[in-house]
Amino acid sequence: MSGVHQGPAVALFSIFVVVTLAITAWFGRQRRGSTEDFYAGGRLFSPLENGFAIAGDYMSAASFLGISGLIALYGYDGMLYSVGFLVAWLVVLFLVAELVRNCGRFTLADVLVARLRERPVRRAAGISSVTVSVLYLVAQMVGAGSLVSLLLGGTDGRARTWTVVGVGALMVVYVSLGGMRATTWIQIVKAVLLMGGTTVLAALVLLRFHGDVSQLLTTAADHSGHGRAFLAPGLKYGRDLTSRLDFLSLALALVLGTAGLPHILSRFYTVPTARAARRSVIWSIGLIGGFYLMTIVLGFGAAAVLGSSAVRAANPAGNTAVPLLALELGGGSDSMGGTILFAVVAAVAFATILAVVAGVTLASSASVAHDLYASLSRRRAVGHRRSRPRSEVAVARTAAACTGAVAIGLGLLAQNLNVAFLVGLAFAVAASANLPVLLYSLFWPRFTTRGAVWSVYGGLVPALALVVFSPVVSGAPDAVFPGLDFRLFPLDNPGLVSVPLGFLAGWLGTLTSSEAPDAAGHAEVEVRSLTGAGAA
């Protein structure tokens, strides 16, 4: 884009940043300073408000930019991301939402320690939650860099770097000053903007083809460079046995990973009851389902209107397909309509990134302060415990800054990877380390503390190790370190191996434990999870 046309997009960026900072400052003044207010917003949100906030948390840059880009490049195989992300909510609805709300207070570890020894379990769950959160944040940083790179013509690497740094700084401000109340309202505003922008774009794509979906798909196939293969399985995940296994690994991670994401689990604590948590999920499923249907239209629309080669030329991972599509649908880069539509879409995408990083950072800082820090300070004298809530909030603010710094560094390293793919890695780690221990704790009477610790580390360590020694990091042109090759694991996503290992480790840890199962503790958790008796 020319310098003249960059102005509207930058102006809209600035407006959203100013509005969200105003929201943060307002709720920062309203906050009472308690841990419940900082972590859970006082549990005052309605199911509708929380449903929009959950949708805002979930509809990230990976969804808006990454999935549409993958569909534009790989057709049917890219669409599998949309299906996987949506189907995952059935697991959340039926197995997680109400039970977690009844058993916990702020984090995943709160659910586990209801029947297990506190310190080792909190430490393991806290480490796992922070790791998943950082991986998720990296994807948002990459999306922000790709977006600004497109805005500036794709030539200013320094501006791209400073954009990643700026996003990290903003997310620290949001979390430190506003806590959960401000973060929730930012998510609600972002969800409304994203649904509106996506609806307008999808409608324009369909109008371009006179509402004929068949014509849209045919044109997309013709302009993809792959012909009819673009509309059939196998373009990305069907070339050989390895790619087929990679698809199974990805599907397993996407379907099971959502129920283990810390920033999604924390949203169930912002409503007053378990029934409200379940209704929140129902609202969010409706919003998310409609959104993912529209990403399919946008992805095939980008292939049909722009061509897959043009999408790949702008960004090899396809992260800029939607903004480029908006520019073309509005009349082209030299038209006022194209400029305005591009500016709106770019601002909405940037809003998406800022809102999601705020939610994920809050979940990560809560895990550090409430789980890791709190577990190390249990030996404090009883007379000093009155000061703990305030000190926990202070630690959470510091943890937000540290998390932001780590995410910035990793985001700069992973700039050439697709954001949806990066989120797939975060889902794999969540499905491997968090979901097994959560399900075991809720449903297995014999589960012990050793089983919980082994389950977390037995999924987390293999997942991270397999990613390090996969083609994602080295040995491929689009790897993090393309000049090196230390690949030992052939799959891009580790879920096919690491998820079963997480369940297996929890089972083995329980069988080999000398600790007697706490039958009374399990009975109490079972009653509490199903009835809400004694819930926070």
Side-chain angles (χ1 to χ4, degrees), residues 24 89 111 203 232 283 321 327 434 464:
T24 301
W89 278 97
V111 180
W283 275 108
L327 190 64
N434 290 349
L464 294 178

Side-chain angles (χ1 to χ4, degrees), residues 34-277:
S34 67
T35 52
E36 182 173 290
D37 197 67
F38 186 82
Y39 294 146
R43 312 189 199 281
L44 299 175
F45 292 99
S46 69
L48 177 61
E49 291 169 343
N50 199 45
F52 268 89
I54 291 173
D57 246 337
Y58 197 68
M59 297 184 302
S60 65
S63 302
F64 190 51
L65 301 177
I67 292 178
S68 300
L70 286 173
I71 294 173
L73 296 179
Y74 301 107
Y76 180 94
D77 281 9
M79 190 174 65
L80 296 173
Y81 275 84
S82 293
V83 176
F85 280 134
L86 179 57
V87 171
W89 278 97
L90 297 178
V91 179
V92 177
L93 178 63
F94 292 116
L95 293 180
V96 173
E98 287 191 50
L99 306 184
V100 166
R101 175 62 188 85
N102 283 335
C103 290
R105 292 185 64 215
F106 305 126
T107 65
L108 167 66
D110 288 335
V111 180
L112 308 181
V113 300
R115 55 174 293 209
L116 304 171
R117 283 192 291 119
E118 187 166 5
R119 292 189 67 189
V121 171
R122 279 200 184 277
R123 190 179 303 117
I127 291 172
S128 174
S129 296
V130 171
T131 302
V132 173
S133 298
V134 169
L135 286 174
Y136 206 93
L137 285 172
V138 169
Q140 313 310 314
M141 299 299 185
V142 171
S146 299
L147 192 64
V148 172
S149 178
L150 176 65
L151 177 65
L152 299 177
T155 59
D156 198 338
R158 182 178 299 177
R160 183 170 178 167
T161 298
W162 279 108
T163 298
V164 174
V165 175
V167 170
L170 281 172
M171 75 184 187
V172 173
V173 172
Y174 291 151
V175 172
S176 299
L177 297 182
M180 180 58 85
R181 289 195 190 185
T183 299
T184 299
W185 280 107
I186 291 171
Q187 296 286 13
I188 292 171
V189 172
K190 167 255 175 148
V192 172
L193 291 175
L194 184 59
M195 289 297 294
T198 307
T199 301
V200 170
L201 272 185
L204 289 175
V205 170
L206 293 175
L207 285 174
R208 182 78 168 246
F209 295 93
H210 310 289
D212 189 342
V213 176
S214 178
Q215 184 184 355
L216 167 64
L217 296 177
T218 301
T219 307
D222 292 340
H223 292 174
S224 68
H226 300 286
R228 288 290 176 179
F230 190 72
L231 304 178
L235 194 59
K236 180 175 175 61
Y237 294 112
R239 297 186 303 270
D240 50 32
L241 178 60
T242 299
S243 63
R244 293 188 182 97
L245 292 175
D246 218 354
F247 164 68
L248 292 176
S249 188
L250 173 67
L252 188 65
L254 294 183
V255 172
L256 299 181
T258 300
L261 292 176
H263 65 289
I264 297 298
L265 294 176
S266 67
R267 293 240 58 94
F268 301 137
Y269 302 127
T270 63
V271 290
T273 64
R275 183 171 182 268

Side-chain angles (χ1 to χ4, degrees), residues 281-358:
V281 174
I282 294 173
W283 275 108
S284 65
I285 287 176
L287 294 168
I288 292 168
F291 172 77
Y292 281 122
L293 287 175
M294 290 186 287
T295 61
I296 296 173
V297 174
L298 297 184
F300 284 111
V305 175
L306 303 171
S308 298
S309 58
V311 172
R312 186 176 284 105
N315 183 277
N319 293 329
T320 56
V322 173
L324 287 173
L325 175 64
L327 190 64
E328 186 64 29
L329 290 174
S333 59
D334 296 327
S335 68
M336 181 57 66
T339 300
I340 293 174
L341 193 57
F342 173 87
V344 170
V345 170
V348 168
F350 203 69
T352 297
I353 292 166
L354 290 178
V356 171
V357 297

Side-chain angles (χ1 to χ4, degrees), residues 412-508:
L412 294 175
L413 284 175
Q415 292 185 43
N416 294 324
L417 298 178
N418 180 275
V419 289
F421 169 74
L422 287 170
V423 166
L425 295 182
F427 273 59
V429 177
S432 304
N434 290 349
L435 184 63
V437 70
L438 179 61
L439 295 182
Y440 277 145
S441 180
L442 290 172
F443 299 111
W444 191 16
R446 294 184 57 192
F447 197 47
T448 63
T449 300
R450 174 185 282 186
V453 174
W454 281 29
S455 181
V456 172
Y457 292 129
L460 178 65
V461 174
L464 294 178
L466 292 175
V467 170
V468 170
F469 294 106
S470 73
V472 176
V473 177
S474 70
D478 56 352
V480 175
F481 302 109
L484 302 176
D485 189 356
F486 44 87
R487 289 175 297 172
L488 298 175
F489 182 65
L491 306 183
D492 289 341
N493 192 292
L496 189 62
V497 176
S498 59
V499 172
L501 284 179
F503 281 99
L504 178 62
W507 179 71
L508 288 176

